[in-house]
Amino acid sequence: MKTQVFVPEHHSKHQPSEDLSDGTPPFPHPEIPQRIDAIVMALKALPDLEFLTESGLAKDEVRQLHDADYVDFLMAITAQLGSNAQYIPSIFHDDMSDAPLRFQGGMYCNEIGTPIGLGSIPAALNSAAAALSAARYIQQTHKDTIVLCRPPGHHAGRRRYGGYCFFNNAYLASKWLAQEGRCCPVLDIDYHLGDGSIEFAGPKTPYFSLHADPWKNYPYLDARAKADRPHTHLAILERDTGIAQYLEHLSLALEALTDYTPDFTVLSLGLDTLISDHIQDAPIKIAQEDFYDIGARIATAIKTPVLIVLEGGYDVSHLGTAMAQFWEGFRHSRLALQ
Ligand code: Q9C
Ligand code: ZN
């Protein structure tokens, strides 16, 4: 039986052109459609994978995780955009509900690197739909499954977008899988702290994350302020962390995760830990082939079916290999344990 790979059909409608977060001049936006093309191409060279195109939009479902006024805003601002326009908020306050619509984004976002174009929200709804289809599939079949979400999701909070994310794909899946008393932790190995995901941690959906120091890297916040939350396990990867140290942190997170006796697991898989990924402000030293060991370690430790959800990863020329390495390590471990 082949492993299913869910691919959102409309992701390429989201084409942010530039990222203003480092000031002027802006840099070419790294969260581009070619990311998915590169990963699909590399996975197609591997055996026993079957690709399934997701064309749905999770318009209603995202409202179970995100606030109604937040989703309404994203729809309303989209309806006002011309075909080449990109919306970025300019003024930031907690409550701007009486401001003109074009300023209200400032209460649903706190950075300027996530432009919204005409196709952005449709793409994000499609990405969310793919995550939910994969969740339904894994619930029915109990098989490990891959979903190539784009745009990514782990920086999206209950009422906040940013960090290239709009809807929290991983927690949409986790909360759905945790229905009826089941337990579905999220293990997040993206380079960045999922400051959106952390909002959704709970007793049946605990959050485990390995990430670069969020004070020195996006989202640039004091990790200590987040550290003491219940059902949250955070491990900081210092600059220059290599694979040996990385795997030690990973093993500790996996032990803590296993203590929850989960029924399913969602893996927020960011490939931006790769040494050559320019998104890193305090670079760590994870090589392409290290992803084999990371995949193997996760597959060995986690006994539940795993839903692998794509998050970040911006080195388009090495993304495919990293993903293929991860999957080969994961798959070989699963086979060895059968
Ligand atoms: N100079 C994800 O990986 N901008 N989002 C960083 C660094 C934001 C990354 C700028 C990075 C967000 C899903
Ligand atoms: Zn990231």
Side-chain angles (χ1 to χ4, degrees), residues 93-209:
H93 300 298
D94 290 343
D95 186 358
M96 303 179 76
S97 23
D98 291 330
L101 184 73
R102 71 183 185 283
F103 292 104
Q104 287 182 22
M107 65 176 170
Y108 299 119
C109 182
N110 51 24
E111 55 101 41
I112 57 172
T114 310
I116 297 178
L118 192 55
S120 300
I121 301 308
L125 290 167
N126 182 221
S127 186
L132 284 165
S133 290
R136 279 188 286 271
Y137 176 82
I138 201 172
Q139 206 251 91
Q140 280 162 16
T141 62
H142 287 246
K143 287 181 179 308
D144 303 314
T145 306
I146 301 171
V147 53
L148 300 181
C149 285
R150 178 181 180 271
H154 77 152
H155 295 302
R158 208 176 288 284
R159 48 188 297 105
R160 183 169 42 89
Y161 74 95
Y164 315 159
C165 304
F166 302 96
F167 303 118
N168 200 304
N169 308 309
Y171 265 97
L172 277 164
S174 154
K175 294 276 181 192
W176 194 87
L177 286 164
Q179 289 173 105
E180 291 156 24
R182 284 183 292 257
C183 177
C184 182
V186 173
L187 171 61
D188 188 340
I189 61 166
D190 186 277
Y191 176 81
H192 304 95
L193 169 66
D195 55 332
S197 291
I198 212 169
E199 292 183 15
F200 302 113
K204 295 291 177 188
T205 57
Y207 180 65
F208 301 83
S209 176

Side-chain angles (χ1 to χ4, degrees), residues 1 17 32-33 40 70 80 95-96 102 114 121 132 139 173 189 244 249-250 253 257 279 285 292 320 327 333:
M1 179 80 181
S17 58
I32 51 176
V40 167
Y70 168 73
Q80 303 226 323
D95 186 358
M96 303 179 76
R102 71 183 185 283
T114 310
I121 301 308
L132 284 165
Q139 206 251 91
I189 61 166
H249 284 296
L250 181 59
L257 185 150
I279 207 80
K285 294 185 166 160
Y292 186 99
W327 178 246
S333 257

